[in-house]
């Protein structure tokens, strides 16, 4: 069982930056692929970024490529999402997720554990 707790959301102006953190309970954090998803009002939850177990491979949705960076610190059981050049369309609840798969996958069905979400609001 893995429990995930996100933090770092908030209100920011367009062009600004935020860093989200997700801390996991348990001693097996390094055995999970980690990802960030987001869900805007009235829309389906979508993949944002994912990172392999070692942190050596990262994947991004086209909409955030070049602006967002995912990273992890296995010693701290934490995964991060650095978000730069934020746009109003990035407004959503952001969720951290963990998967026991070997490779980074991009659908919600591939992830076994989810955090409670943190709100990110970007004003224009």
């Amino acid at each position: 069982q893995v429990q995930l707790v996100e933090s770092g959301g908030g209100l920011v102006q367009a062009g600004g930056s935020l860093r989200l953190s997700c801390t996991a309970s348990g001693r097996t954090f390094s055995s999970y692929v980690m990802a960030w998803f987001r869900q805007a009002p009235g829309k389906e939850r979508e993949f944002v970024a994912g990172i392999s177990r070692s942190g050596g491979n990262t994947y991004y949705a086209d909409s955030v490529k070049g602006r967002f960076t995912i990273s992890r610190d296995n010693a701290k059981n934490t995964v991060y999402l650095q978000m730069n050049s934020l746009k109003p369309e990035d407004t959503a609840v952001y969720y951290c997720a963990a998967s026991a798969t070997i490779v980074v996958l991009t659908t919600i069905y591939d992830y076994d554990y989810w955090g409670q979400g943190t709100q990110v609001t970007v004003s224009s």
Side-chain angles (χ1 to χ4, degrees):
Q1 188 77 5
V2 177
Q3 292 186 328
L4 304 173
V5 179
E6 302 101 333
S7 61
L11 173 64
V12 63
Q13 290 188 330
S17 299
L18 281 175
R19 188 175 84 152
L20 306 182
S21 299
C22 171
T23 301
S25 64
R27 300 181 179 179
T28 59
F29 178 74
S30 60
S31 65
Y32 289 92
V33 163
M34 299 299 296
W36 289 94
F37 287 75
R38 66 186 181 186
Q39 188 166 19
K43 295 188 176 181
E44 294 186 349
R45 194 170 298 188
E46 65 175 2
F47 175 83
V48 174
I51 190 166
S52 62
R53 294 179 293 181
S54 68
N57 293 294
T58 57
Y59 302 87
Y60 298 93
D62 287 343
S63 59
V64 307
K65 207 170 289 184
R67 300 188 298 122
F68 290 11
T69 302
I70 188 171
S71 61
R72 67 190 296 164
D73 185 338
N74 287 342
K76 295 183 178 180
N77 282 11
T78 302
V79 61
Y80 305 97
L81 185 68
Q82 178 66 44
M83 305 186 293
N84 298 330
S85 302
L86 283 160
K87 305 175 181 180
E89 50 264 44
D90 294 318
T91 295
V93 177
Y94 283 71
Y95 296 90
C96 172
S99 173
T101 58
I102 297 174
V103 297
V104 175
L105 300 173
T106 61
T107 77
I108 61 173
Y109 308 105
D110 298 309
Y111 288 81
D112 308 293
Y113 303 101
W114 293 84
Q116 83 288 350
T118 185
Q119 177 70 47
V120 171
T121 303
V122 184
S123 63
S124 57

